[in-house]
Amino acid sequence: MPKKIVMTPEDIRRTLARLAHEILERNKFIKQLILVGMRTRGVPLAKRLAANIEDFEEIEIPVGALDISLYRDDLSSLNLQPVVHRTDIPGSIDGKSIVLVDDVLYTGRSTRAAMDALIDLGRPRSIQLAVLIDRGHRELPIRADYVGKNIPSSRHEEIQVQLEETDGIDEVAIISIPVVKETQ
């Protein structure tokens, strides 16, 4: 499958630094801020954003990890038995500003599931969404508050985010998926 690199390690580093600045600009009460990464790649992205914020402001931002496996709306249609990972949120989210972090925003269904999971944990003051890539094709009325890069793509392409922490390399690529034509 043909693969086109659209973000290098340096692109990802610069983009996360910019997103951290945008989060700081919008959230004046950073002591009330919690970054929550969606498993799998949202977690290391949230940790990197928190490290950038700490470098800029010399304040440590709590980072949590959220598993949305049981909140997905496609479990029955996919006939899957979800592999449940641990949700780890540092303290109460009541009254806090939550920045939900994910690698790719596509249909919006994962984000909806993540918001449901967060609401089950408490009543945050606000939930904001930060994504490394927004590829379009929304099926739900969800938009990101912070976008690293907009990459319009066709449904016959896959956006592949690889991170050092999970994949041993930092890069974002577009992969063309062969279209299977139906015969009659």
Side-chain angles (χ1 to χ4, degrees), residues 7 55 61-62 83 85 95 113 168:
M7 290 184 84
D55 287 346
I61 302 296
V83 176
H85 296 90

Side-chain angles (χ1 to χ4, degrees), residues 26-36 61-62 92-100 123-128:
R26 181 161 172 190
N27 294 279
K28 300 301 178 206
F29 303 105
I30 58 175
K31 291 185 179 182
Q32 297 299 313
L33 190 65
I34 300 175
L35 300 181
V36 177
I61 302 296
S92 170
I93 65 169
D94 291 335
K96 302 290 172 79
S97 295
I98 306 297
V99 177
L100 194 55
R123 189 172 194 297
R125 181 174 174 271
S126 67
I127 299 174
Q128 302 163 37

Side-chain angles (χ1 to χ4, degrees), residues 34-50 62-68 85-90 98-103 114 117-118 128-130:
I34 300 175
L35 300 181
V36 177
M38 292 169 57
R39 293 205 186 269
T40 295
R41 287 173 187 80
V43 175
L45 290 172
K47 288 178 179 177
R48 290 187 197 187
L49 286 169
V63 177
L66 187 66
D67 180 36
I68 63 165
H85 296 90
R86 215 172 92 205
T87 289
D88 181 23
I89 305 297
I98 306 297
V99 177
L100 194 55
V101 182
D102 201 7
D103 57 349
L118 282 172
Q128 302 163 37
L129 178 61

